[in-house]
Every structure is written in C-alpha cells, then in structure tokens.
Amino acid sequence: MIVDCAIYREGRRTEGPADFSDALDEARASGDAFVWIGLHEPTEGEFDHVTKEFGLHPLAVEDALKAHQRPKLEVYDDSLFLVLKPVVYEPQSDTVTSGEVMLFLGDSFVVSVRHGEGAPLRAVRQRLESEPDLLKQGPTAVLYAVADAIVDRYLEVAMELQTDLEELETEVFSPDPSESRHTASRIYGFKRQVLEFRRATGPLTLPLTRLAGAGPYSAAVPFVSDAAQPFFRDVSDHLTRVNESVEGLDRLVSDILSAHLAQMSVRQNDDMRKISSWAAMAAVPTMIAGIYGMNFEHMPELTWTWGYPAVILLMAVLEIGLYRLFKSRGWL
C-alpha cells in the first residue's frame, strides 16, 4: 500500500497532484523539486504502476517485491537501488528481528519500499521535514537520513545485546548450579540473535563505502551528490563501530559457551567422584556380609559369641576410615 506521497521543493513539503505520475511530471518540470513515495509491503499490482511511471529496473523491482535480500547497492541506467535491513530488539523475549527497506533513487524521485514492522520511515520523514536545509539537497538527503537512522538503531541494539551478554556471564559463573540449568540453550539462542544481527550489518559495509567514495570506490555514485560523501563516511564510521561490536559479541559468547561446557564437565566429574566414593563405601560391608552369607559349615567366628559384634565393628571402622580418606581428598 502507498503510505505517503509528497513533493518537496526547496526543502519544504508542498501540495501537489494526488496522482504520483502527475506529481513526478510537476517535480521534473520545476527543476528544483523531487517526489518521495513511501510504500509498505506493496502487491505486484500496486507496484507495477510505480514501476512503469518511474522506469524502475525489473531486477530491482523483483527484489523489492520478494524481499529477503541482503544489504546491497545496485546502480542501473535510470535509478539507484539500495537495500537496508533495519533491526529491532524485543526486550520481552530478548530477540532480534529484522525487516527490510528498499530505496530507489532517480531523476527527481525517491521510492521507499518497507517490509516488516521494524523500520517505520515516518519518523525519518518528519525529521527531514523539520530540517529544510538538509531536505533541499534532494533525494540524496533522503538516502542519507534513512541510512543514518537505521545504523544509529544498530548501535542501540548492540548495547542491548551487550547487556544480555553480561547477564549470561553472571549466570554461567554463578556458584549455584541450579541457576545455570538452562544456560546452554540461552547461550545458543543468544548466538542466533548475534548471527541475525550480523546478517544485517556485515553486508552493508560495502554499499556505504561506495556511497562514501572511500578507498577503491572513490568514483561518484550516480544520483548521489559528491557533497554528501562526508555524511555517508560518518554513517560508515558508525557501521564500523557496530561491526566491531558484533565481532566482539560473537567471540565473547563463544568463550562463554566454552566456559559453560568446561564447568559442566567439571561438575560431572565431581558427581562421578562422589558416586564412586559412596559406591566404594557401600562395597566394603557388602563384601564382608557376602562372605559370611555363603552358608559354609566350617567358617571362622561362626560359633564365636562376639563374632557378630566384631564384624559390625569392623564394618564401621572401615566405613569411617574410607569416609575420612575421601573427605580429605575432596571427593565427598
């Protein structure tokens, strides 16, 4: 569905034709305006009209309709196509979910396509409309504002995940074994959240590097003004911080998992020592009782009056000796 359609002239929203094809003609005729159309999970029929009016490339249109794309930047003859994956952290379930935002930039137009509920662009549009000096830069300003808002949200999600990781560390190294009963499943779940986060942030590095004109990608990107490169470099720097944080989270959660498995192994060894110690203590009286239970006619101490008390005393002495031995070695 079409969420919003507006003409922006000299950085300010103006009233225009209701039909976006007429709005595009008006924007191009004035020479200092552009059209921004926002769509949310459009159907093929809804997007077909937009495709024809704006001359969007069919491959980019197919990606925008099917979604489930990696972050990327594609340059076509008549438009620029950028895919971003915004992420949302759910504090109730401690999960990270991702959506998709596709941006088409061309001559005097911006078409934004959003999939999922994780990245409403209304706040970005309102922010731009309150900064006419920025918005007058044209479609490039929209591209920068959307990328900046999404990457800033990455930083917030990284901080939330860092808090969750600290809670996992506390749980793993808790002296109470009952508190870490479900720790392994939580660690694996956290690792999946980090992986989901990395799928959104990692592939975005190359597109932002191209937009920033850095390194081997110093050539200007069509439909993006050269004056915007410093702004995209700033966004790229923020993304680098996010990726470093994600790498650190991934390494730490792997180390925590290894530490948890090592602790479980040590606890199992302790349990086996305790079981073996009690089994050894139980074996001594069982052996003595088994010997005197063989019902042979000629056995020593069978007719002795103090035979029974002597055997019980022997069992007690041996049990006490074994208990003190195992206790001194820390097996009990």
Side-chain angles (χ1 to χ4, degrees):
M1 58 178 290
I2 298 177
V3 178
D4 198 355
C5 176
I7 298 178
Y8 295 92
R9 183 177 289 108
E10 290 297 322
R12 299 189 182 277
R13 183 172 182 143
T14 61
E15 296 296 332
D19 185 80
F20 59 80
S21 58
D22 296 335
L24 179 61
D25 293 337
E26 180 179 323
R28 285 176 172 172
S30 65
D32 60 352
F34 71 96
V35 179
W36 182 3
I37 298 177
L39 300 99
H40 179 231
E41 298 182 357
T43 64
E44 186 174 352
E46 291 173 338
F47 207 56
D48 185 59
H49 188 37
V50 177
T51 301
K52 292 178 180 178
E53 291 295 335
F54 291 91
L56 305 180
H57 197 280
L59 292 177
V61 171
E62 181 181 0
D63 290 343
L65 287 173
K66 291 184 177 180
H68 303 293
Q69 303 296 317
R70 299 174 75 248
K72 62 180 180 179
L73 176 66
E74 300 286 350
V75 179
Y76 299 102
D77 293 335
D78 300 325
S79 62
L80 181 73
F81 180 58
L82 176 66
V83 179
L84 301 163
K85 291 184 72 69
V87 296
V88 175
Y89 177 81
E90 299 292 343
Q92 291 79 11
S93 56
D94 294 337
T95 57
V96 173
T97 57
S98 61
E100 288 187 44
V101 171
M102 289 89 163
L103 295 174
F104 294 87
L105 267 72
D107 181 18
S108 302
F109 73 85
V110 178
V111 177
S112 58
V113 183
R114 179 168 60 90
H115 290 268
E117 300 297 330
L121 299 180
R122 181 176 302 173
V124 177
R125 189 185 288 262
Q126 291 174 348
R127 172 198 163 194
L128 282 172
E129 291 177 354
S130 66
E131 299 180 21
D133 290 339
L134 176 61
L135 192 55
K136 70 170 54 176
Q137 302 301 320
T140 303
V142 177
L143 182 66
Y144 160 72
V146 173
D148 184 56
I150 290 175
V151 172
D152 284 347
R153 182 58 182 158
Y154 288 164
L155 292 170
E156 297 175 10
V157 173
M159 293 178 62
E160 295 285 355
L161 290 176
Q162 182 65 42
T163 301
D164 287 347
L165 184 63
E166 292 173 358
E167 293 177 358
L168 274 177
E169 286 180 323
T170 302
E171 185 174 325
V172 166
F173 296 104
S174 172
D176 186 3
S178 62
E179 293 186 5
S180 58
R181 183 175 303 174
H182 305 290
T183 301
S185 61
R186 287 195 59 193
I187 293 175
Y188 278 111
F190 183 85
K191 198 170 183 65
R192 289 183 63 86
Q193 306 312 314
V194 173
L195 178 60
E196 181 72 17
F197 195 21
R198 173 179 282 179
R199 287 172 179 167
T201 63
L204 187 57
T205 301
L206 181 57
L208 285 182
T209 302
R210 292 182 62 185
L211 291 172
Y217 306 101
S218 57
V221 178
F223 310 107
V224 177
S225 63
D226 295 341
Q229 288 184 349
F231 295 91
F232 285 109
R233 281 198 291 271
D234 181 68
V235 178
S236 181
D237 289 341
H238 291 175
L239 181 64
T240 300
R241 288 174 51 196
V242 171
N243 284 326
E244 291 174 352
S245 178
V246 172
E247 291 291 337
L249 288 171
D250 190 55
R251 288 194 300 268
L252 283 174
V253 74
S254 297
D255 293 342
I256 288 175
L257 178 60
S258 299
H260 176 66
L261 294 177
Q263 281 190 334
M264 294 296 295
S265 178
V266 170
R267 289 172 182 170
Q268 289 177 351
N269 290 336
D270 289 340
D271 293 340
M272 288 302 300
R273 283 200 298 265
K274 292 178 180 179
I275 293 172
S276 300
S277 300
W278 288 111
M281 292 172 62
V284 171
T286 301
M287 179 189 66
I288 296 175
I291 292 174
Y292 281 93
M294 291 188 293
N295 295 323
F296 286 108
E297 182 176 355
H298 300 288
M299 289 185 67
E301 293 90 27
L302 286 180
T303 58
W304 184 35
T305 303
W306 297 99
Y308 176 74
V311 171
I312 295 299
L313 179 61
L314 175 63
M315 291 181 182
V317 171
L318 291 176
E319 289 294 293
I320 293 173
L322 288 174
Y323 179 82
R324 295 186 64 179
L325 175 63
F326 294 147
K327 192 72 174 177
S328 65
R329 294 186 177 182
W331 289 17
L332 289 175

